[in-house]
Amino acid sequence: MDMKIALVPGDGIGPDIVEEAVRVLDRVASKFGHDIEYKEIDAGGISIDKYGIPLTEDALESAKASDAVLLGAVGGPRWDSLPGAKRPEKALLGLRSGLGLFCNFRPAVIYPELADASPLKDSIIGKGVDLLVVRELTGGIYFGERGRSDDGEEAYDTMRYSRMEITRIARKAFEAAMLRKRHVTLVDKANVLESSRLWRETVSALAPSYPDVTLDFMYVDNASMQLVQDPSRFDVVLTENMFGDILSDEASMITGSIGMLSSASLREDSFGMYEPIHGSAPDIAGQDIANPIATILSAASMLRYSFSLEKEAEAIEDAVKSALADGIRTRDIAVEGEKIVGTKECGREIGERI
Ligand code: NAD
């Protein structure tokens, strides 16, 4: 397969970790007989330094012309004094909205070798944690009508969804479940909110198209408890924007390893933007210390969701598991007494296991 991938290394550790993901992708391409054409795009602080703005029209056009985008991270103290609209983080919003990405995938996985990093007890995570939060990204209360009364004593925000918005993300969740344990849990507040009742109605109507997937429902307050009490009961958690914002952070914290978690932002076709959930970690940039695994796993998600290359995606995930099992640890995931490797060695060790 021919793949056109836009690379957005960004700032801080971004270039360090994207380089390792490319190393692993190149290895996959040569092992499985694919051709990858990369195009590097400036976004974030580096773009501010070069062009005065966090994302140029040219950069966005280059991203649009690719099949998928792999992003490192943006931001850092150098640009912290800039006003909101000029800050590096605006590049992320510009890319997400400019590319029409309405669906966010946030996997949370606990690797047995790193179980000690989880704040939860062994008895809880012992059953395994491997779940995917599917969050709606462009609708709901964050984008609904809002305002204040004339006297300023009252304020309101509106949660609004259309059947179309719910259907297109529910399809993404069902399709992801087909590649996993075939279980979707719709998380909502249907006992109170009319918009949640529309979610239930719409997702239930779609379920017969995916007969191999089990669909169940959970209120968001219960889901937030179940995530820490028995996370193994979840496979795919489908939810609206604000609930997803909160639950995806909760889910990632139960793994305890920020350097290991990836995310994907998708739209209706196969295009997607893939990135680690952590930031640009300016404190360790350019020192060969950063953990590249979240970005390497983002590249695996890219192969799975944008190119339907399931075998290749699994090859990367298996290589990560095997490297962890063999004691490969960057500083952030090592416990006392364990040998620590640098960013490059970690990437090389994973690449060699493809
Ligand atoms: P951060 O995630 O960059 O760092 C938090 C802590 O985790 C730091 O101690 C850092 O060293 C460590 N860390 C993060 N990623 C790591 C990795 N791969 N390997 C080892 N250690 C890692 O969050 P922050 O310090 O709040 O933010 C730093 C900058 O990143 C800010 O400018 C912020 O705006 C930006 N940021 C960007 C994104 C993004 O690009 N998606 C997300 C969050 C924050």
Side-chain angles (χ1 to χ4, degrees):
M1 181 182 280
D2 288 341
M3 298 180 247
K4 271 198 275 181
I5 298 178
L7 299 175
V8 187
D11 311 312
I13 59 171
D16 309 354
I17 54 184
V18 167
E19 191 179 325
E20 298 316 307
V22 167
R23 189 195 300 281
V24 173
L25 279 171
D26 283 343
R27 182 85 175 178
V28 169
S30 78
K31 282 267 165 179
F32 290 83
H34 302 299
D35 274 321
I36 307 182
E37 189 190 312
Y38 300 103
K39 174 144 199 184
E40 204 164 306
I41 295 175
D42 290 324
I46 186 175
S47 171
I48 295 175
D49 289 350
K50 283 191 187 171
Y51 312 109
I53 48 173
L55 184 71
T56 63
E57 268 305 313
D58 275 358
L60 181 60
E61 287 309 314
S62 292
K64 280 184 185 165
S66 66
D67 301 319
V69 177
L70 183 67
L71 185 136
V74 299
R78 269 180 61 196
W79 304 282
D80 273 352
S81 56
L82 292 172
K86 291 200 164 157
R87 291 173 63 92
E89 294 81 354
K90 274 280 162 195
L92 297 177
L93 297 178
L95 283 165
R96 285 185 193 132
S97 65
L99 297 168
L101 308 170
F102 63 81
C103 170
N104 188 237
F105 279 9
R106 280 265 293 261
V109 180
I110 292 189
Y111 296 89
E113 294 83 7
L114 305 180
D116 284 347
S118 171
L120 300 184
K121 284 191 269 190
D122 286 352
S123 57
I124 293 175
I125 56 168
K127 286 191 266 174
V129 178
D130 181 359
L131 61 91
L132 175 70
V133 179
V134 176
R135 167 190 169 193
E136 205 287 330
L137 215 50
T138 55
I141 198 163
Y142 293 168
F143 291 89
E145 194 187 324
R146 73 192 75 232
R148 292 263 177 132
S149 60
D150 289 343
D151 63 4
E153 291 302 303
E154 280 178 46
Y156 64 95
D157 300 277
T158 322
M159 190 185 290
R160 203 187 170 94
Y161 271 107
S162 68
R163 250 182 239 282
M164 180 279 287
E165 286 172 304
I166 300 166
T167 303
R168 65 183 185 178
I169 189 161
R171 277 192 205 287
K172 290 281 177 195
F174 280 115
E175 281 160 17
M178 294 288 287
L179 298 171
R180 300 173 49 93
K181 287 174 270 172
R182 301 177 179 220
H183 176 196
V184 171
T185 303
L186 173 63
V187 169
D188 60 27
K189 193 72 186 166
N191 49 344
V192 181
L193 301 176
E194 193 54 36
S195 56
S196 285
R197 289 193 272 272
L198 184 66
W199 271 80
R200 280 203 186 195
E201 217 175 284
T202 309
V203 176
S204 300
L206 196 62
S209 310
Y210 301 89
D212 296 335
V213 179
T214 306
L215 171 67
D216 57 19
F217 308 95
M218 197 179 279
Y219 296 138
V220 63
D221 40 350
N222 186 22
S224 71
M225 288 194 292
Q226 297 293 330
L227 267 176
V228 289
Q229 200 178 47
D230 185 13
S232 71
R233 66 180 296 153
F234 296 106
D235 178 26
V236 173
V237 174
L238 167 63
T239 192
E240 64 89 43
N241 199 344
M242 180 172 60
F243 296 158
D245 189 6
I246 299 165
L247 292 180
S248 59
D249 269 14
E250 185 187 0
S252 53
M253 278 322 291
I254 65 179
T255 73
S257 317
I258 193 175
M260 303 283 300
L261 297 171
S262 65
S263 87
S265 302
L266 309 168
R267 64 183 191 205
E268 258 152 331
D269 60 8
S270 60
F271 187 91
M273 185 163 92
Y274 302 82
E275 59 187 301
I277 71 159
H278 60 70
S280 61
D283 50 329
I284 56 169
Q287 299 171 40
D288 196 33
I289 290 177
N291 184 347
I293 296 180
T295 316
I296 291 170
L297 291 173
S298 301
S301 295
M302 168 188 288
L303 297 179
R304 171 171 295 125
Y305 298 120
S306 281
F307 300 105
S308 297
L309 296 173
E310 181 63 27
K311 262 202 326 262
E312 289 81 341
E314 279 174 19
I316 295 181
E317 289 160 353
D318 289 346
V320 167
K321 285 182 197 151
S322 149
L324 291 174
D326 293 343
I328 303 300
R329 302 277 189 278
T330 45
R331 194 181 70 175
D332 56 308
I333 53 172
V335 294
E336 229 180 293
E338 279 181 328
K339 182 176 169 267
I340 292 172
V341 302
T343 310
K344 286 182 194 305
E345 195 178 339
C346 183
R348 267 197 304 269
E349 290 282 354
I350 292 168
E352 278 166 15
R353 285 169 171 78
I354 299 287

